[in-house]
Structures are given as structure tokens and as C-alpha cells.
Amino acid sequence: YRGLCNFNSNNYKEAIVDFSVAIALSPVFADHYYYRGLSQFIIGNYAAALADYDYMISKNWVSSDVYNNRGLVLLKMQRNVDAINDFSKAIVLNEKNANAYFNKGLAYQNLLQFENALQEYNKAEQYNPGYGYIYFNRAQIFYRMQQFAPALENALKAQSLGIAVDESFIKTLNR
């Protein structure tokens, strides 16, 4: 209980200590590993977060969120292909996981595989059309592909959803 209180209060280092104590007392409770891994991720301890998610998967304590979170860790570690594999597993477990589609799009975008990234962002939009970063990232991709009309359309949509879009970018696309 104390670990979750610390986690929900953004006291991640304290939450890690609390979850570690809870794991020592009862190593079969998956949520302790899940939240310790998430806390480790938030403070940038990616190797430790990966170890917790790997352990959960080795015990078959899997869910769409576990694979999505491990994918995010791998993304931060610049292991984009491995991250794509985890996001794909997250989607198999929950085909409506908009976050997994979005994150998979990020990994493809990092690899400069723009068509694949756009496909993933389109799926993310299908399940979470109010998430402005979908449109912001698509605007960037369309700009890189020199498709300025859809870049502008997506940039304006991102802006309308509260995402800060540099006005010079908008002006460049308006030409």
C-alpha cells in the first residue's frame, strides 16, 4: 500500500524501496514488479526497469501494459527493433491499445521507416483521436516526406488539441 501511495505522489525513489521490501516479503505479487519497473523507468533507471519487466514475462505475468512498458524501456535504450516487437505483442493482447500503436509508430519513426510509422499513428488515432501528439508526429513525418499539405493539416490539428507547434513551422508549411 505504501509503495502505491508513494508512486501516486510521484515519490518514485521511495516507491522503489517500498516495492522492493514488498517483493522480498512476497515475491509472487506481480503488481509490485510492475510498479517498481514503472518507477524505475520514470526516474531513468532503464536497466532496472527492464529487469523487472523481463522477470514478469519470464513468470508469464503478462499483459498488454507490461509489453507496452517494456517496449518503452527498450525505446529509451534505443533498441527500436526490440521495442517494435514488444509493442506488437502488446497489440496482440489488446488490439485497442492506442498507446502501443503510438509507441510503435515512434520506434518506426526513429528508424526512419515513415510509411510504417504513419500506419501505426493512424491506428493510434482510430482508438484515441484526441491525442495531439499523433498529429504532431505525423506532421513531422509528412514534412520530412515533403508532403506539405498533410503536414500542415496535422500540425493544425495537433495545435487545436493543445500541442505547442512552433509558429515558424506552421509558416513554413503555409508557403
Side-chain angles (χ1 to χ4, degrees), residues 50 67-89 100-114 116-117 120-121 137:
L50 184 62
Y67 277 111
N68 183 65
N69 288 2
R70 189 173 78 163
L72 285 171
V73 172
L74 294 167
L75 198 62
K76 286 288 189 178
M77 297 172 88
Q78 299 179 0
R79 292 173 52 188
N80 291 293
V81 173
D82 293 331
I84 288 167
N85 290 333
D86 273 8
F87 298 134
S88 295
K89 290 175 185 173
Y101 288 110
F102 178 80
N103 295 331
K104 192 174 176 184
L106 283 175
Y108 278 125
Q109 191 171 354
N110 289 345
L111 295 171
L112 305 178
Q113 295 180 19
F114 297 136
N116 290 334
E120 299 304 327
Y121 291 143
N137 288 8

Side-chain angles (χ1 to χ4, degrees), residues 3-43:
L4 277 178
C5 288
N6 277 319
F7 179 85
N8 290 329
S9 299
N10 301 328
N11 298 321
Y12 302 112
K13 289 182 180 179
E14 292 87 353
I16 291 166
V17 171
D18 292 336
F19 290 125
S20 295
V21 168
I23 288 167
L25 295 172
S26 179
V28 296
F29 194 55
D31 282 356
H32 296 153
Y33 293 94
Y34 179 84
Y35 283 104
R36 185 175 72 177
L38 189 53
S39 298
Q40 296 281 16
F41 173 78
I42 290 169
I43 66 170

